[in-house]
Amino acid sequence: MGVVKELQSTRLASQLAFIMIEYIRRAAVATYGASRGEIGWILENNQGMRLIAEAIESRVNEVYQTYRKAL
């Protein structure tokens, strides 16, 4: 999920994210009877998405580490 560069870090960007999450949640419940969902691969420096994940009371259940090595 992403937003154009000009809107990143704005109130509109976070509102769009919440609206998308809510529409997806409603569709998943109506179509599949879903009771939970997943938000994955949020980088630790992506403060905006981390705050959104916190606001919807998500929890961390896996952490991945990336490494860099010159070949």
Side-chain angles (χ1 to χ4, degrees):
M1 182 166 70
V3 203
V4 293
K5 196 74 161 167
E6 298 82 42
L7 293 179
Q8 289 178 3
S9 300
T10 67
R11 189 172 297 211
L12 179 58
S14 61
Q15 288 295 347
L16 287 171
F18 277 114
I19 290 168
M20 284 180 61
I21 290 167
E22 181 59 18
Y23 273 94
I24 291 166
R25 185 195 68 76
R26 287 182 188 179
V29 168
T31 306
Y32 305 107
S35 60
R36 62 185 191 167
E38 179 180 327
I39 301 173
W41 291 92
I42 299 174
L43 298 176
E44 65 184 347
N45 64 351
N46 187 340
Q47 191 62 27
M49 278 307 297
R50 289 177 57 126
L51 289 172
I52 289 170
E54 248 178 59
I56 61 172
E57 299 178 6
S58 61
R59 63 183 173 84
V60 174
N61 56 333
E62 289 198 42
V63 176
Y64 296 93
Q65 188 77 30
T66 58
Y67 298 92
R68 179 182 299 179
K69 181 179 178 180
L71 299 176

